[in-house]
Amino acid sequence: MLRYLRLVDDMKEASIALSVSEWNTAIAYAGRCFVRVDALQVESALRIWKEMEQEAGVRSGQVTFNILFDIAIKAGKYVLAEMILEEMNGRMLRYNRFSYVSFIYYHGLKGDGAGVRRAYRELVEAGQIVDTVVMNCVIASLIRAGELPAAEQVYERMKRLFHAKTGEYVPHKDWQYSRDLGRILDRVSRSVHRHPERVQRLQRLQRKQCLAPDLRTFSIFIDYHVHVTGELHRITILLAEMQDFQIPIQGRIFIKIFRGFAHHGGVKYTSWTTQKLEAVWNSLLTALDAQAKDTQLLKWIVVWVMRAFARCCGRARALQIWEEIRDRWKVVNKYERGAVEYLLRDVLDGFKTDDRY
């Protein structure tokens, strides 16, 4: 991201004009360079936007405003978000698929369940095609609004639709696949808006859409039960249903589960027992040996494995796991290794480390 922004600066110094898409990318990078968006990033994004319009004379489009709106709501700047929408409406720019999905997410952040439902209805009424990405946004937004039962109803509906179309399920491969599919669906919806006679084509495409749960769907619910309810049996059910949908348990899911043991284990009468932790650890080892996709011993999975064992089994067992991790950690960046050892300094205190890995 920083290299791209430096390249943009070099182009400006060389008086090379930037296209709208290049300005949009710069704004997005400036506003989303970290996981959490803060006021400083919002200010950086707005400064580039001002430079784009007032100095470079490049007119913003709907994509620009979508990016600005997304940055504003993720920073919790809801008044600014409303101002961005007003400016967008003042310029007579139409909302697209990404706008409507952002509105759903926005109302979820505000804790407005009714607003989430209203934004979803507006998406449908605007002729946008509903797919798994949209449904995942609805689920996550309802959970943020404190409406878990409503989110679970959406999930159950997705499962029913899948079983009604057995054999048509194609899981999203990665974020790029989802992004490209979203762009295609948005183009189809815009085409129908310009040519109403093509509405039957849109309806056929909607009927062919698979709304089955994907890895993101399960990740949302597992994350909720890890951080809020602590109900391991619900997570166990979700993991079993992942197998039904032929979705492998990837590294991000392992991280959440080990984090759950670190938060809820090590106390009397907990369902997060030592035996279950050892079973999850063995499952992770099996996935590593099989070289499962997106499952590696990277920083955060190592940190939460160690914290889980330290909490549930004690420091002695945690140090045994550390030895096994070091044996498997064949290739690791020294900075990442240093970061892990720093984060685990309370667990590894007094334990001799070396450079043999």
Side-chain angles (χ1 to χ4, degrees):
M1 294 183 182
L2 294 177
R3 281 184 292 183
Y4 181 87
L5 294 175
R6 282 197 294 268
L7 180 60
V8 168
D9 288 337
D10 291 341
M11 292 177 67
K12 289 186 292 187
E13 289 180 6
S15 299
I16 299 175
L18 276 72
S19 66
V20 175
S21 62
E22 289 167 342
W23 280 110
N24 289 341
T25 303
I27 293 170
Y29 280 166
R32 301 170 183 157
C33 56
F34 299 106
V35 175
R36 295 185 182 278
V37 181
D38 58 21
L40 183 61
Q41 291 167 264
V42 173
E43 183 181 348
S44 297
L46 291 175
R47 185 174 64 251
I48 294 176
W49 177 49
K50 180 179 179 180
E51 185 179 356
M52 168 188 174
E53 290 220 321
Q54 297 184 4
E55 297 182 22
V58 178
R59 189 74 170 167
S60 302
Q62 62 183 192
V63 175
T64 312
F65 284 99
N66 285 343
I67 294 169
L68 291 169
F69 181 77
D70 182 68
I71 293 170
I73 62 176
K74 287 180 178 176
K77 306 290 186 181
Y78 300 139
V79 174
L80 174 61
E82 294 292 344
M83 292 172 63
I84 290 170
L85 289 183
E86 289 178 8
E87 180 67 20
M88 188 175 181
N89 292 330
R91 299 188 185 197
M92 306 297 289
L93 294 173
R94 289 185 62 250
Y95 298 148
N96 62 7
R97 171 187 176 81
F98 304 100
S99 305
Y100 288 109
V101 173
S102 293
F103 298 158
I104 295 171
Y105 183 77
Y106 170 51
H107 289 292
L109 289 177
K110 292 177 66 178
D112 181 6
V116 171
R117 295 178 180 85
R118 184 171 60 253
Y120 174 73
R121 285 197 300 270
E122 290 173 355
L123 179 147
V124 174
E125 291 169 358
Q128 297 294 331
I129 297 173
V130 178
D131 67 345
T132 299
V133 172
V134 173
M135 301 304 282
N136 284 345
C137 186
V138 172
I139 288 172
S141 300
L142 287 172
I143 289 177
R144 287 192 184 94
E147 298 192 22
L148 177 64
E152 290 178 332
Q153 288 178 7
V154 175
Y155 169 63
E156 292 298 328
R157 179 168 177 262
M158 292 172 73
K159 290 198 297 182
R160 288 196 300 271
L161 289 170
F162 163 72
H163 292 302
K165 297 182 178 181
T166 304
E168 295 186 22
Y169 178 61
V170 180
H172 294 301
K173 297 179 181 180
D174 52 32
W175 67 270
Q176 291 176 318
Y177 176 90
S178 298
R179 180 197 63 187
D180 294 342
L181 177 61
R183 289 174 175 173
I184 292 171
L185 297 180
D186 182 59
R187 284 198 295 269
V188 171
S189 297
R190 283 189 281 117
S191 172
V192 173
H193 182 79
R194 292 192 298 268
H195 305 281
E197 68 276 7
R198 299 179 182 176
V199 68
Q200 290 184 346
R201 177 189 175 193
L202 180 69
Q203 293 171 346
R204 287 196 301 270
L205 186 57
Q206 179 63 78
R207 286 194 296 269
K208 290 181 179 179
Q209 277 303 303
C210 179
L211 299 179
D214 62 3
L215 181 64
R216 172 64 181 156
T217 315
F218 290 102
S219 180
I220 292 167
F221 282 109
I222 290 173
D223 192 67
Y224 177 82
H225 290 299
V226 164
H227 289 93
V228 180
T229 69
E231 296 179 357
L232 181 58
H233 73 280
R234 286 293 304 144
I235 295 176
T236 303
I237 292 172
L238 289 166
L239 293 175
E241 292 181 346
M242 284 181 66
Q243 302 304 312
D244 293 340
F245 286 99
Q246 300 179 354
I247 301 174
I249 301 176
Q250 297 182 2
R252 74 173 78 172
I253 301 297
F254 279 112
I255 290 174
K256 295 179 189 300
I257 297 171
F258 284 116
R259 192 168 186 169
F261 279 101
H263 287 326
H264 306 293
V267 296
K268 287 185 177 180
Y269 312 119
T270 180
S271 58
W272 301 78
T273 63
T274 300
Q275 294 80 5
K276 292 175 182 176
L277 174 59
E278 294 283 358
V280 176
W281 171 243
N282 289 329
S283 296
L284 173 60
L285 295 180
T286 301
L288 291 171
D289 291 338
Q291 298 183 333
K293 183 182 178 182
D294 295 328
T295 304
Q296 303 175 51
L297 280 178
L298 299 178
K299 180 175 73 174
W300 287 113
I301 196 166
V302 171
V303 167
W304 287 112
V305 165
M306 289 294 294
R307 292 213 172 279
F309 275 97
R311 175 69 182 269
C312 298
C313 308
R315 186 167 180 270
R317 177 58 178 148
L319 294 180
Q320 291 176 357
I321 296 296
W322 178 248
E323 285 283 10
E324 190 166 352
I325 287 173
R326 297 199 323 162
D327 290 337
R328 288 175 170 270
W329 224 0
K330 302 300 182 183
V331 180
V332 59
N333 182 291
K334 66 178 181 179
Y335 298 108
E336 182 170 321
R337 182 185 69 185
V340 169
E341 291 179 351
Y342 177 77
L343 291 169
L344 295 173
R345 60 193 182 280
D346 55 332
V347 179
L348 299 175
D349 182 38
F351 185 78
K352 184 179 179 181
T353 60
D354 55 49
D355 297 324
R356 62 188 173 87
Y357 62 111

